[in-house]
Amino acid sequence: MRLPKLTLAIKIPLIYILISAISLIIMNLSWYYFSHTQTNANELLSQGYAAKITIIAIVVFLFTLVLVTVLSIWLILRIIEPIEELQKGFKIISAGNFSKRVSINTGDEIEDLANSFNIMSANLQHAFNNLEYDKSIIAAERNKIAITISHIKDIVIAVDLHKRIVIFNKASERITGFSADEAIGKLITEVFKLYQLDESKKYIEISDDNYCPIPTEPHEGTVFSAVNVKLISSKDKESHVNVEVGQIKEGLTTGLGCILTIHDITQERELEDMKVDFVSMAAHELRTPITALRGYSEILKEEISDKLGPTQKHFLERISNSITNLSNLVDNLLNASRIEKGTLKLDLRINHVEDITKAAIQELQQIAKNKNQSLIWFNPHESFPPVIVDKFRIDE
C-alpha cells in the first residue's frame, strides 16, 4: 500500500482521523447489530442480556483497540522506514562511501530530503574524485620537484616559520656532513653557521635573523644575498659559498619561512688561489733571468758602446727597453697576485700631483725621443691641492 502524496503535516492528522473513524464505525456497527437483532425490549433490559452486552462490548472494544494499534504501528513504521533508510545512508556517507544513493517514494518532505541526499552524495562523490585527481597531480609534481632538487648540485634548504629544516637535498648532505634524516627538524643554526668578511678582513658570524628573517606578512623575492661566505657545519666541515635566500608569498599560510640556495665555490676558490700562487711564483722566478739580462745589457753598453754603429746601438737600446718593459710586466703580475690575496700594501703619503707628473714625463722623454715623438709638459696656472697617494703606484 502506497501512501497518498501528501505532506507529513497533512498526512499525520489524516491518519489519526482515519483511525478514529474506524473505531467509531466498528462501535456503531456493533451496537446497531445487537440492538436490531433483539425483538423484545424486556430482553434488552434483562440482567443476563446486559451482562452479555457488556462482554460483547468489551470484546468489540478490545478488538477495535488491537486493530487501531496494529494499524497505527503499521502506519508509523511506514513513516519511520524511509527515515531509517536515510539514516543508514548518512552513516555510509560519513564512512567515506560517496556512491550511496537512497530510493524513497513517499511523496512528502522525506522524499524531498532523500532527493537532496542523493544530490549531495553525487556532488560529494564528484568533489572527492576531483580531489583525488588533484591529489595525484600534486603528488606527481611534488615527486618531480623532489627528484629535481635532489639532483641539483647547489644546496637547497627550506625552513619553516620556526627556522626548522623541512627540505634538505643531497648537496646539503655533502657539504654539511648531515644526512637528511639527521637535519630535518633541527634548527638551521644547529646544522651550520655562516661567516662573512668585515672591513678588517676578519670573518664574523651572520645572524640567522639577518639571512633568514621570518616573514610577518606575505612577501615574495630575495631577502638576502652574499658572496664569498664561509659555511662551517656543526660537524666541522668548512666551505666557501655564495648564498641567496628567498621567500614565497604563500609562506605564512603554508608554514614556509625561507628557501636557501647555496652555491659551493670551495673548489673554484682553491683553483683561484692556485692560479694566484702560480702567477706569484712565476713572477718571482722570472725576476732572476730578467735581472741577469739587465746586467748583461748594462755591461754591453759600458764596454762596447764605442765600437758599435748607430744601428747596433739602436738594437741595444731596444733590448734595454724590452728588458725594462718585461720587468714592469713581472711587477704588475706580482701586484695583481697581491691584490687577489689582499696583501698589497700601499705607501700612502702627502704628494703633489705636479711633481709626480713632471717626474713621469722626464722618465718618458727618452722613450718618446726614440719613437720620434714630442712629449710636452704644460704647467697648470693653478696648483692642485696636495693628495694622499702612493707615489710609486701613481707614477706607474
mmCIF file of all heavy atoms in Angstrom, residues 194 196 206-207 209-213 219 221-227 229 242-247 259-261:
data_model
loop_
_atom_site.group_PDB
_atom_site.id
_atom_site.type_symbol
_atom_site.label_atom_id
_atom_site.label_comp_id
_atom_site.label_asym_id
_atom_site.label_seq_id
_atom_site.Cartn_x
_atom_site.Cartn_y
_atom_site.Cartn_z
ATOM 1 N N LEU A 194 77.012 30.670 9.187
ATOM 2 C CA LEU A 194 77.603 31.421 8.085
ATOM 3 C C LEU A 194 78.450 32.567 8.635
ATOM 4 O O LEU A 194 78.078 33.208 9.623
ATOM 5 C CB LEU A 194 76.517 31.973 7.167
ATOM 6 C CG LEU A 194 75.607 30.945 6.486
ATOM 7 C CD1 LEU A 194 74.539 31.647 5.659
ATOM 8 C CD2 LEU A 194 76.410 29.988 5.623
ATOM 9 N N GLN A 196 80.984 36.023 7.339
ATOM 10 C CA GLN A 196 81.277 36.938 6.242
ATOM 11 C C GLN A 196 82.422 37.855 6.628
ATOM 12 O O GLN A 196 82.583 38.219 7.802
ATOM 13 C CB GLN A 196 80.032 37.754 5.893
ATOM 14 C CG GLN A 196 80.121 38.519 4.581
ATOM 15 C CD GLN A 196 78.787 39.139 4.219
ATOM 16 O OE1 GLN A 196 77.978 39.466 5.099
ATOM 17 N NE2 GLN A 196 78.527 39.313 2.939
ATOM 18 N N ILE A 206 77.206 35.651 10.653
ATOM 19 C CA ILE A 206 75.976 36.296 10.185
ATOM 20 C C ILE A 206 74.809 35.719 10.986
ATOM 21 O O ILE A 206 74.621 34.502 11.026
ATOM 22 C CB ILE A 206 75.750 36.055 8.688
ATOM 23 C CG1 ILE A 206 76.988 36.417 7.878
ATOM 24 C CG2 ILE A 206 74.548 36.850 8.190
ATOM 25 C CD1 ILE A 206 76.881 36.055 6.411
ATOM 26 N N SER A 207 74.056 36.582 11.611
ATOM 27 C CA SER A 207 72.916 36.115 12.401
ATOM 28 C C SER A 207 71.852 35.510 11.484
ATOM 29 O O SER A 207 71.613 36.001 10.375
ATOM 30 C CB SER A 207 72.317 37.276 13.204
ATOM 31 O OG SER A 207 71.103 36.889 13.806
ATOM 32 N N ASP A 209 68.829 35.743 11.890
ATOM 33 C CA ASP A 209 67.766 36.744 11.729
ATOM 34 C C ASP A 209 68.054 37.659 10.541
ATOM 35 O O ASP A 209 67.121 38.257 9.987
ATOM 36 C CB ASP A 209 67.623 37.586 12.995
ATOM 37 C CG ASP A 209 67.079 36.773 14.164
ATOM 38 O OD1 ASP A 209 66.338 35.808 13.914
ATOM 39 O OD2 ASP A 209 67.429 37.093 15.320
ATOM 40 N N ASN A 210 69.334 37.766 10.163
ATOM 41 C CA ASN A 210 69.699 38.616 9.022
ATOM 42 C C ASN A 210 69.505 37.888 7.697
ATOM 43 O O ASN A 210 68.922 38.441 6.766
ATOM 44 C CB ASN A 210 71.154 39.082 9.147
ATOM 45 C CG ASN A 210 71.343 40.101 10.253
ATOM 46 O OD1 ASN A 210 70.413 40.794 10.631
ATOM 47 N ND2 ASN A 210 72.549 40.179 10.790
ATOM 48 N N TYR A 211 70.021 36.654 7.613
ATOM 49 C CA TYR A 211 69.932 35.976 6.323
ATOM 50 C C TYR A 211 68.651 35.155 6.164
ATOM 51 O O TYR A 211 68.313 34.744 5.057
ATOM 52 C CB TYR A 211 71.160 35.093 6.075
ATOM 53 C CG TYR A 211 71.294 33.874 6.957
ATOM 54 C CD1 TYR A 211 70.580 32.707 6.695
ATOM 55 C CD2 TYR A 211 72.163 33.872 8.048
ATOM 56 C CE1 TYR A 211 70.716 31.597 7.494
ATOM 57 C CE2 TYR A 211 72.312 32.764 8.849
ATOM 58 C CZ TYR A 211 71.588 31.619 8.563
ATOM 59 O OH TYR A 211 71.724 30.510 9.353
ATOM 60 N N CYS A 212 67.937 34.924 7.252
ATOM 61 C CA CYS A 212 66.689 34.158 7.164
ATOM 62 C C CYS A 212 65.627 34.781 8.069
ATOM 63 O O CYS A 212 65.223 34.187 9.067
ATOM 64 C CB CYS A 212 66.937 32.698 7.536
ATOM 65 S SG CYS A 212 65.502 31.632 7.287
ATOM 66 N N PRO A 213 65.167 35.975 7.755
ATOM 67 C CA PRO A 213 64.137 36.612 8.595
ATOM 68 C C PRO A 213 62.790 35.909 8.433
ATOM 69 O O PRO A 213 62.426 35.494 7.335
ATOM 70 C CB PRO A 213 64.089 38.044 8.054
ATOM 71 C CG PRO A 213 64.533 37.920 6.629
ATOM 72 C CD PRO A 213 65.542 36.812 6.600
ATOM 73 N N HIS A 219 55.309 37.967 1.431
ATOM 74 C CA HIS A 219 56.421 38.569 0.693
ATOM 75 C C HIS A 219 56.983 37.542 -0.268
ATOM 76 O O HIS A 219 57.088 36.361 0.052
ATOM 77 C CB HIS A 219 57.513 39.046 1.658
ATOM 78 C CG HIS A 219 58.718 39.604 0.950
ATOM 79 N ND1 HIS A 219 59.796 38.819 0.576
ATOM 80 C CD2 HIS A 219 58.995 40.858 0.537
ATOM 81 C CE1 HIS A 219 60.688 39.585 -0.032
ATOM 82 N NE2 HIS A 219 60.220 40.816 -0.075
ATOM 83 N N GLY A 221 60.278 37.013 -3.091
ATOM 84 C CA GLY A 221 61.504 37.539 -3.662
ATOM 85 C C GLY A 221 62.698 37.258 -2.771
ATOM 86 O O GLY A 221 62.629 36.567 -1.761
ATOM 87 N N THR A 222 63.833 37.853 -3.160
ATOM 88 C CA THR A 222 65.084 37.650 -2.436
ATOM 89 C C THR A 222 65.119 38.539 -1.195
ATOM 90 O O THR A 222 64.792 39.723 -1.252
ATOM 91 C CB THR A 222 66.277 37.981 -3.339
ATOM 92 O OG1 THR A 222 66.234 37.129 -4.494
ATOM 93 C CG2 THR A 222 67.591 37.744 -2.613
ATOM 94 N N VAL A 223 65.508 37.958 -0.067
ATOM 95 C CA VAL A 223 65.612 38.718 1.184
ATOM 96 C C VAL A 223 67.066 38.840 1.649
ATOM 97 O O VAL A 223 67.359 39.652 2.531
ATOM 98 C CB VAL A 223 64.767 38.071 2.299
ATOM 99 C CG1 VAL A 223 63.295 38.127 1.951
ATOM 100 C CG2 VAL A 223 65.193 36.625 2.564
ATOM 101 N N PHE A 224 67.968 38.037 1.060
ATOM 102 C CA PHE A 224 69.374 38.109 1.460
ATOM 103 C C PHE A 224 70.223 37.528 0.332
ATOM 104 O O PHE A 224 69.843 36.541 -0.296
ATOM 105 C CB PHE A 224 69.628 37.329 2.752
ATOM 106 C CG PHE A 224 71.069 37.354 3.211
ATOM 107 C CD1 PHE A 224 71.552 38.415 3.955
ATOM 108 C CD2 PHE A 224 71.934 36.315 2.893
ATOM 109 C CE1 PHE A 224 72.880 38.442 4.369
ATOM 110 C CE2 PHE A 224 73.252 36.328 3.301
ATOM 111 C CZ PHE A 224 73.732 37.394 4.049
ATOM 112 N N SER A 225 71.377 38.166 0.099
ATOM 113 C CA SER A 225 72.299 37.677 -0.924
ATOM 114 C C SER A 225 73.714 38.080 -0.522
ATOM 115 O O SER A 225 73.951 39.218 -0.105
ATOM 116 C CB SER A 225 71.943 38.259 -2.293
ATOM 117 O OG SER A 225 72.819 37.762 -3.284
ATOM 118 N N ALA A 226 74.640 37.134 -0.615
ATOM 119 C CA ALA A 226 76.038 37.407 -0.248
ATOM 120 C C ALA A 226 76.947 36.436 -0.987
ATOM 121 O O ALA A 226 76.573 35.297 -1.279
ATOM 122 C CB ALA A 226 76.236 37.272 1.264
ATOM 123 N N VAL A 227 78.162 36.912 -1.302
ATOM 124 C CA VAL A 227 79.158 36.084 -1.988
ATOM 125 C C VAL A 227 80.365 35.897 -1.082
ATOM 126 O O VAL A 227 80.593 36.673 -0.153
ATOM 127 C CB VAL A 227 79.588 36.720 -3.322
ATOM 128 C CG1 VAL A 227 78.404 36.817 -4.271
ATOM 129 C CG2 VAL A 227 80.186 38.107 -3.107
ATOM 130 N N VAL A 229 81.074 33.633 1.214
ATOM 131 C CA VAL A 229 80.694 33.420 2.607
ATOM 132 C C VAL A 229 81.284 32.091 3.069
ATOM 133 O O VAL A 229 81.309 31.119 2.315
ATOM 134 C CB VAL A 229 79.159 33.416 2.755
ATOM 135 C CG1 VAL A 229 78.757 33.076 4.180
ATOM 136 C CG2 VAL A 229 78.592 34.773 2.347
ATOM 137 N N ASN A 242 78.422 30.960 -2.008
ATOM 138 C CA ASN A 242 77.594 32.125 -2.305
ATOM 139 C C ASN A 242 76.170 31.798 -1.871
ATOM 140 O O ASN A 242 75.667 30.708 -2.157
ATOM 141 C CB ASN A 242 77.615 32.457 -3.797
ATOM 142 C CG ASN A 242 78.994 32.896 -4.272
ATOM 143 O OD1 ASN A 242 79.810 33.370 -3.484
ATOM 144 N ND2 ASN A 242 79.266 32.725 -5.555
ATOM 145 N N VAL A 243 75.542 32.719 -1.177
ATOM 146 C CA VAL A 243 74.242 32.451 -0.557
ATOM 147 C C VAL A 243 73.184 33.397 -1.114
ATOM 148 O O VAL A 243 73.435 34.596 -1.277
ATOM 149 C CB VAL A 243 74.309 32.614 0.980
ATOM 150 C CG1 VAL A 243 72.954 32.295 1.611
ATOM 151 C CG2 VAL A 243 75.383 31.719 1.565
ATOM 152 N N GLU A 244 72.020 32.821 -1.408
ATOM 153 C CA GLU A 244 70.861 33.632 -1.783
ATOM 154 C C GLU A 244 69.633 33.040 -1.090
ATOM 155 O O GLU A 244 69.407 31.828 -1.158
ATOM 156 C CB GLU A 244 70.664 33.658 -3.296
ATOM 157 C CG GLU A 244 69.563 34.611 -3.727
ATOM 158 C CD GLU A 244 69.655 35.003 -5.192
ATOM 159 O OE1 GLU A 244 70.671 34.672 -5.822
ATOM 160 O OE2 GLU A 244 68.713 35.639 -5.672
ATOM 161 N N VAL A 245 68.886 33.891 -0.416
ATOM 162 C CA VAL A 245 67.729 33.448 0.367
ATOM 163 C C VAL A 245 66.483 34.144 -0.171
ATOM 164 O O VAL A 245 66.486 35.353 -0.392
ATOM 165 C CB VAL A 245 67.911 33.764 1.868
ATOM 166 C CG1 VAL A 245 66.735 33.213 2.672
ATOM 167 C CG2 VAL A 245 69.230 33.189 2.382
ATOM 168 N N GLY A 246 65.447 33.359 -0.381
ATOM 169 C CA GLY A 246 64.196 33.918 -0.894
ATOM 170 C C GLY A 246 63.002 33.461 -0.080
ATOM 171 O O GLY A 246 63.092 32.543 0.744
ATOM 172 N N GLN A 247 61.886 34.118 -0.322
ATOM 173 C CA GLN A 247 60.626 33.772 0.332
ATOM 174 C C GLN A 247 59.519 33.744 -0.711
ATOM 175 O O GLN A 247 59.636 34.357 -1.774
ATOM 176 C CB GLN A 247 60.273 34.791 1.434
ATOM 177 C CG GLN A 247 61.212 34.761 2.625
ATOM 178 C CD GLN A 247 60.892 35.840 3.648
ATOM 179 O OE1 GLN A 247 60.165 36.790 3.366
ATOM 180 N NE2 GLN A 247 61.437 35.695 4.849
ATOM 181 N N ILE A 259 63.729 29.911 1.852
ATOM 182 C CA ILE A 259 64.365 28.910 0.997
ATOM 183 C C ILE A 259 65.776 29.397 0.708
ATOM 184 O O ILE A 259 65.966 30.460 0.117
ATOM 185 C CB ILE A 259 63.585 28.708 -0.306
ATOM 186 C CG1 ILE A 259 62.151 28.271 -0.009
ATOM 187 C CG2 ILE A 259 64.276 27.680 -1.192
ATOM 188 C CD1 ILE A 259 61.266 28.196 -1.234
ATOM 189 N N LEU A 260 66.785 28.622 1.132
ATOM 190 C CA LEU A 260 68.184 28.981 0.952
ATOM 191 C C LEU A 260 68.751 28.234 -0.245
ATOM 192 O O LEU A 260 68.634 27.003 -0.336
ATOM 193 C CB LEU A 260 69.016 28.636 2.186
ATOM 194 C CG LEU A 260 68.802 29.478 3.452
ATOM 195 C CD1 LEU A 260 67.568 29.014 4.226
ATOM 196 C CD2 LEU A 260 70.024 29.410 4.354
ATOM 197 N N THR A 261 69.334 28.982 -1.171
ATOM 198 C CA THR A 261 70.064 28.397 -2.294
ATOM 199 C C THR A 261 71.535 28.763 -2.116
ATOM 200 O O THR A 261 71.893 29.940 -2.128
ATOM 201 C CB THR A 261 69.539 28.926 -3.636
ATOM 202 O OG1 THR A 261 68.132 28.690 -3.706
ATOM 203 C CG2 THR A 261 70.225 28.230 -4.787
#
